[in-house]
Amino acid sequence: MVGIPDGLVQSLEDIATRLRIESIRATTAAGSGHPTSSASAADLVAATFFAAMRLDPDDPRSPASDRFVLSKGHAAPLLYAVWAELGVLQRADLTTLRGLDSDLEGHPTPRLPFVDVATGSLGQGLSVGVGLALGARKLGSDARVFVLLGDGETAEGSVWEAAQMAGHERLANLVGIVDVNGLGQSGPTMLDHDLRAYQRRFAAFGWRAVTLDGHDMRQIVPAVRRARQSRRTPTVLIARTIKGKGIEGVEGKEGWHGKPLPPDAAERVIAALEARLHHVPPPPVHKPARRRLPLLSPMPTPPPPAYGEIATREAYGDALVRLGAADPRVLALDGDVKNSTYAERFRDAYPDRFIEAYIAEQNMVSTAAGLAAQHFIPFASSFACFLTRAADQLRMAAISRSNIKLCGSHAGVSIGEDGPSQMALEDLALFRALPESVVLYPADGTAADACVQLAGVHRGLAYIRTTRMKTPALYGADEEFAVGGLKVLRAGAYDVLTIVAAGITLHEALAAHDELIGLDIPVRVVDLYCVKPVAAEALLAAARATAHRMLVVEDHYTEGGLGDAVREAVSEEGVIVHHLAVREIPHSGPPRKLLERYGIGRGAIVTAARKLAESEVGAAATSAMKSPTPGSA
Amino acid sequence: MVGIPDGLVQSLEDIATRLRIESIRATTAAGSGHPTSSASAADLVAATFFAAMRLDPDDPRSPASDRFVLSKGHAAPLLYAVWAELGVLQRADLTTLRGLDSDLEGHPTPRLPFVDVATGSLGQGLSVGVGLALGARKLGSDARVFVLLGDGETAEGSVWEAAQMAGHERLANLVGIVDVNGLGQSGPTMLDHDLRAYQRRFAAFGWRAVTLDGHDMRQIVPAVRRARQSRRTPTVLIARTIKGKGIEGVEGKEGWHGKPLPPDAAERVIAALEARLHHVPPPPVHKPARRRLPLLSPMPTPPPPAYGEIATREAYGDALVRLGAADPRVLALDGDVKNSTYAERFRDAYPDRFIEAYIAEQNMVSTAAGLAAQHFIPFASSFACFLTRAADQLRMAAISRSNIKLCGSHAGVSIGEDGPSQMALEDLALFRALPESVVLYPADGTAADACVQLAGVHRGLAYIRTTRMKTPALYGADEEFAVGGLKVLRAGAYDVLTIVAAGITLHEALAAHDELIGLDIPVRVVDLYCVKPVAAEALLAAARATAHRMLVVEDHYTEGGLGDAVREAVSEEGVIVHHLAVREIPHSGPPRKLLERYGIGRGAIVTAARKLAESEVGAAATSAMKSPTPGSA
């Protein structure tokens, strides 16, 4: 082992001391926050930033720059302090922590230029790191990615999904650092200070795993430098630390998680820390070598083919191939169902741009967020029901305004025989409730293709819901679609009702329309292919044209889907909205029979429309009886 | 190693052959399903049921009986075949697989007496097994739990959450069996047939891990028997198998996942399998020793104390202690936030009935489902936003009609400084969209207490949403609450608007009410403490009394919460519903300021109500101008 010069050790120790001081000062000023979780990792962070990383403080999101992910997001004060140390933040601003008008939020968000993806829901950072590292590799950058994890958060399974992916992909450019302070929020962690247990686990997942004293610069510096040089495997540094290190009276004690020091105690502790300073100036920041990385520039996508009868999931695969041809930033990920989601078409066309994420949806989504932070446009797909596995990762991606695209296939009871565990009936509820999300639900091949193109162009999180079974063509190749749009497919001057549907139920609604015509019940039919943002004005216009009466039909549970979207759009105008949706736990069975059994097939729509039309006539008759015309008595 | 008698080997081989035959026959009859995934595990399952387990076919859910969890739920035909072999199903019924009127669904559900929790979303079974095993131990039963996993599903992080919990709790009564056939749905698994890699991983998580040939009864029988005898650690058998084993022309081939054999091929393969039968009768089923297990019978819960100003999360903790005193079946689990959710009160009162689930919410929820299958009533708590981590597990628990209770604390922007990653703003959307769920959202201590008691008594999944900050008392100790209820807290004969709120926003609505009274705008205020099932009739009655005008206010995103619940209840009557909710990604800041900034505080309510009242007057005036009374022209 090469010795580390005393000057460097002292300089790094001084940085760590200042990081502790700023963390204490900021949290005391805020009256909340996590000084002890910051203090345990201060030495590790100081050495990582100033003795190992090559980064460009002026352009922290450059693919050439090393990245740092604070997976233990509650140590935000430490992160802010180190970026102040780098000159990116003003030191004086650190005490605005957690304020209403400060970007220094309680947990890091990408409002800050050096935060790639929001953290604060534990166990997600390593997957983000996997995405950043995969992205760097794809770009030919030799930048490295450092992820600081808490020990408690390694209890999250998502950490092991990330670990296995990094091991499988041999991401030598990824470095994990586990801050083993032995204390969780409410008590000791499961493994306490058993560094060997962590080491065995990471080693079993294909990592080089190194144990060390997380407060000894002479151990940290060579370890983190060697980790940066790894050529074959990802490296994890498993560091024994003390929670609250450097904070007298609090070091290693339970009951101090997420608690700021009272002002007087803070002053005393800061004075003691200041007394420890060697007053050695910080080492220079190592900037990355200037290298030209490939410019990935999109071209316009050629016009779509004429789609015939096709499952929207299959059209998704074809459309993604077309988008991929035009835009080299587009990548695809899939959770070992690529032959069902048709992501395999993309894999076959661009094997280098396809990532098999295996059956680990949480990691798939956070990896996608990491790739998006390297300026890629990742499309991640699985059965729609299994995307719920990553609900928390999707939530964090939405908070991060991450530019990721999701496709969920096999929506609803119309998948048939596989049964309820495979039927996505709550995916629209999940994706609608993500802030700023776009939710698309095409009903034919052309619409599915358009949705893929719309999702690709939209900046932010977009979801596409596809259907298992084939559906006939509804639109010509030149039909135009838009985020926030809808299509009125059937309309007449005497429509008594607007039927709103999407995906599989749109075809049921169209069949019902034809049957209702025969019964002299003219109805309007709307394809709500964009569920969010919803075309409120157009829905209201349709409602007004049909006596303020609507019927929504969807292959989804009652809550959170199309029905709620429509009601949200029209409820300020007192529109009467009836709703056909799946109202019980469904059963296995043939798709067509299930549509009728759960009351969302053409038969159920006809029955509902007839009943509504009759009650309408009845109401009119009743009303007529109640207000007789003058002279009729 | 003790030799296994030839007769037993042949008898078990015959069972395995019959399991293969029935799996092929049923899937071919159904025209879909997974014969090859069934075939790879047939030998393992035959030996487990007939050479190791002690089970009571007449009472498979008895705590005295060994349990079997088919984590790889797509091998359902194999499971059904083995229960036919045990005489619980009619062999002739096996070919009703996947039919609309058959309980033999595509993936197992607890419609069947021998299925504890639905499977089919991979990677959840081991956690269910953890719950079943913990439950058996708590009951003093020496029953064992066997979980059959696919190799592909071990990529799910939830498997490692379960593995670490089992290792940490030293669940010697838990046996995992990994069917390593090397093939996933769409290609080879990440680890192929690398048994040692699986062994290293499980060993690192505290298991005794044994590798073996999964088609050799002379290896399987002693391994599974020894696993059943373990006294110190959980055991996992890592079995090398061949997908489609015994199906000529398909064995070990890609492209055969989830595909039935065509009828002619099935006939040929079945004939070949039949030719291999030794025609040795099956061994007797080993029944569990009859032991009296403790009867856990509830008594009535004593009346609640008089709650003063208190955070509902704190009242949750106190109420759970009261419920626990009356009902010995009640357990609590928490994800290392017990000092925030106040589950620590329960831990302090009944340490033996508290399970620290650490930061692993997926495992926490599925473990709860396993405990419920041992007839316990588990209450699992965390920050509400982190329960989204277990969305898929909750989905499967709901499909299973599992009797589990969830409590999510720290709802909404009103948590303040910690920022958006810690604010649950989509939890109501998640829980409302679970079929048959009950969703409760109390606004004071008494209501929180009542919600805990209601959840405890309700049979099925119930969710309680609690608030971080203290709120004043609204109800006396003798107030009665009900699932499906609401409270009208303010009402007058001239109310122009019904304000619907719950939790923190109810207090804002009440403050707004008082201010509006001063402005001569009388409003009705409803506490919608039960968000699902929603009190539709009572909401309609309130709407009718206030000119069909409502204003819903909630600390949740626009989608999927209170607003959608109210609109769903009243939209068939054309009620005008206005809605105040969080419409953007929120920021860190002081709670009160955030309530106003995101438009859900008392100020925003007053403004909205005034605007509505004015437009009402305006509309009336306009309407008056349009229809002048006769003679006024």
Side-chain angles (χ1 to χ4, degrees), chain A residues 98 102 105 107 120 122 155-158 161 164 185-186 336 338 340 361-362 389 418 422 571 587-588, chain B residues 98 102 105 107 120 122 155-158 161 164 185-186 336 338 340 361-362 389 418 422 577 587-588:
Chain A
R98 296 176 160 241
S102 171
E105 298 199 74
H107 293 76
L122 291 170
E156 290 286 7
S158 50
E161 293 183 9
Q164 80 187 346
Q185 170 176 323
S186 68
D336 189 24
K338 54 187 176 289
S340 291
E361 297 79 9
Q362 297 188 85
R389 196 63 155 261
D418 269 340
Q422 320 290 301
S571 71
H587 200 281
S588 293
Chain B
R98 296 175 160 243
S102 170
E105 299 199 75
H107 294 75
L122 291 169
E156 290 286 7
S158 50
E161 292 183 9
Q164 80 187 346
Q185 170 176 323
S186 67
D336 189 23
K338 54 187 176 288
S340 291
E361 297 79 8
Q362 297 187 84
R389 196 62 156 260
D418 269 340
Q422 321 290 302
V577 182
H587 199 282
S588 292

Side-chain angles (χ1 to χ4, degrees), chain A residues 261-316:
Chain A
L261 297 180
D264 52 339
E267 233 169 86
R268 272 199 312 277
V269 169
I270 288 171
L273 284 167
E274 279 174 342
R276 290 192 204 172
L277 287 170
H278 313 287
H279 300 287
V280 177
V285 175
H286 288 276
K287 294 211 175 180
R290 286 266 158 221
R291 273 186 60 182
R292 187 178 293 274
L293 294 174
L295 265 183
L296 301 180
S297 306
M299 295 178 307
T301 315
Y307 284 97
E309 180 171 273
I310 188 173
T312 50
R313 62 183 168 125
E314 188 175 352
Y316 166 80

Side-chain angles (χ1 to χ4, degrees), chain A residues 519-544:
Chain A
L519 296 167
D520 210 17
I521 303 175
V523 295
R524 195 154 291 212
V525 179
V526 168
D527 174 7
L528 194 65
Y529 66 83
C530 184
V531 183
K532 185 184 169 192
V534 73
E537 271 312 310
L539 282 172
L540 276 170
R544 287 177 199 135

Side-chain angles (χ1 to χ4, degrees), chain A residues 196-467:
Chain A
R196 298 266 174 249
Y198 290 102
Q199 189 176 34
R200 276 194 301 273
R201 292 181 184 186
F202 275 98
F205 281 80
W207 292 55
R208 193 172 72 87
V210 181
T211 61
L212 71 161
D213 178 342
H215 300 308
D216 180 354
M217 285 297 174
R218 291 186 193 279
Q219 291 189 40
I220 303 171
V221 172
V224 72
R225 282 183 171 172
R226 189 175 158 201
R228 201 192 175 283
Q229 300 308 323
S230 176
R231 295 277 157 225
R232 298 192 48 203
T233 59
T235 305
V236 62
L237 308 182
I238 298 159
R240 183 189 177 90
T241 63
I242 296 171
K243 197 156 175 170
K245 174 73 178 177
I247 307 176
E248 234 186 86
V250 169
E251 279 191 359
K253 286 210 176 138
E254 282 192 53
W256 274 97
H257 182 95
K259 285 191 187 151
L261 297 180
D264 52 339
E267 233 169 86
R268 272 199 312 277
V269 169
I270 288 171
L273 284 167
E274 279 174 342
R276 290 192 204 172
L277 287 170
H278 313 287
H279 300 287
V280 177
V285 175
H286 288 276
K287 294 211 175 180
R290 286 266 158 221
R291 273 186 60 182
R292 187 178 293 274
L293 294 174
L295 265 183
L296 301 180
S297 306
M299 295 178 307
T301 315
Y307 284 97
E309 180 171 273
I310 188 173
T312 50
R313 62 183 168 125
E314 188 175 352
Y316 166 80
D318 291 344
L320 199 57
V321 169
R322 294 198 321 105
L323 181 62
D327 194 334
R329 298 170 303 176
V330 171
L331 304 176
L333 301 91
D334 193 86
D336 189 24
V337 286
K338 54 187 176 289
N339 54 337
S340 291
T341 58
Y342 282 93
E344 68 178 5
R345 297 263 166 97
F346 190 93
R347 192 265 322 255
D348 294 346
Y350 321 106
D352 294 346
R353 287 154 63 190
F354 177 81
I355 296 160
E356 176 54 68
Y358 297 94
I359 311 175
E361 297 79 9
Q362 297 188 85
N363 181 64
M364 178 172 74
V365 168
S366 296
T367 293
L371 288 163
Q374 291 285 29
H375 314 289
F376 285 103
I377 304 177
F379 279 71
S381 51
S382 184
F383 279 31
C385 62
F386 302 141
L387 292 177
T388 62
R389 196 63 155 261
D392 194 28
Q393 281 77 9
L394 290 165
R395 183 177 74 89
M396 294 302 291
I399 290 174
S400 305
R401 298 196 163 91
S402 187
N403 191 30
I404 64 172
K405 321 300 166 186
L406 292 307
C407 176
S409 68
H410 292 68
V413 299
S414 56
I415 68 154
E417 290 82 356
D418 269 340
S421 65
Q422 320 290 301
M423 296 167 172
L425 288 162
E426 57 295 286
D427 57 320
L428 293 177
L430 164 64
F431 282 99
R432 277 184 67 241
L434 298 176
E436 303 183 8
S437 64
V438 165
V439 180
L440 301 163
Y441 185 12
D444 81 345
T446 301
D449 193 300
C451 287
V452 170
Q453 315 304 324
L454 289 173
V457 171
H458 172 77
R459 175 105 201 129
L461 190 153
Y463 173 60
I464 303 167
R465 185 187 218 216
T466 64
T467 298

